[in-house]
Amino acid sequence: MNTPSRRSQIVTDALGIPLADQTPEENLRVIINCQIPPLPLPVNASTPPDPLHEQTSFENITVIDTTLNRVAWQSIMLPQELLNATHWQAFSSIPGEDGSVVTLYESLEVYYGPVSYVVDALFAEGLQEAFVAQAEALKARVEGMT
């Protein structure tokens, strides 16, 4: 399957065929095309990618919890015995400093196994930068700054 040469998330079936309904569900797959390290903000749909930093990953959606507002997906590019990588995202409401309610956004990736040392050496810094950029872009979008 040809994946687009831009930042995207495509929900697919187990064979990698894109689905007409792109609503994520547990045990569906997602093909993630991204930039690691991220492009400098601001970024929009027409911002060209940096071909030297394009990354594609193949993931299985493992958790969609609408009660606790969290989602997780696990890498399926390599056998789990070599690399077990799971990414979590969560939203929760917490009290703000002024007593208001604010939204906390959390993004966490945990990886282990023999290949994790290679992933850590090559991508840890860029992944962290990408998580921060994603959080900043999401905050700007939600707050109407973009």
Side-chain angles (χ1 to χ4, degrees), residues 31-89:
I31 300 171
I32 300 174
N33 295 298
C34 62
Q35 299 277 169
I36 301 173
L39 297 168
L41 295 175
V43 175
N44 61 38
S46 63
T47 305
D50 178 345
L52 298 176
H53 297 284
E54 287 183 291
Q55 302 288 329
T56 300
S57 65
F58 302 91
E59 314 285 335
N60 181 54
I61 301 168
T62 56
V63 174
I64 298 209
D65 184 338
T66 58
T67 303
L68 295 176
N69 301 314
R70 61 185 182 169
V71 60
W73 56 93
Q74 186 170 44
S75 176
I76 55 173
M77 294 176 59
L78 294 172
Q80 286 188 356
E81 295 78 19
L82 295 177
L83 179 64
N84 189 321
T86 301
H87 186 103
W88 283 89
Q89 288 190 354

Side-chain angles (χ1 to χ4, degrees), residues 30 59 64 102 114 120-122 137:
V30 64
E59 314 285 335
I64 298 209
V102 297
D120 196 58
L122 295 176

Side-chain angles (χ1 to χ4, degrees), residues 82-83 111-124:
L82 295 177
L83 179 64
Y111 47 90
Y112 57 92
V115 177
S116 67
Y117 299 102
V118 175
V119 171
D120 196 58
L122 295 176
F123 298 108

Side-chain angles (χ1 to χ4, degrees), residues 105-116:
Y105 167 70
E106 299 173 276
S107 183
L108 170 72
E109 179 134 26
V110 178
Y111 47 90
Y112 57 92
V115 177
S116 67

Side-chain angles (χ1 to χ4, degrees), residues 7 35-43 105 107 125-141 146:
R7 297 156 312 278
Q35 299 277 169
I36 301 173
L39 297 168
L41 295 175
V43 175
Y105 167 70
S107 183
E125 185 177 333
L127 280 168
Q128 183 61 40
E129 291 173 15
F131 295 153
V132 170
Q134 179 180 12
E136 289 173 356
L138 179 62
K139 180 178 177 19
R141 183 173 180 144
T146 60

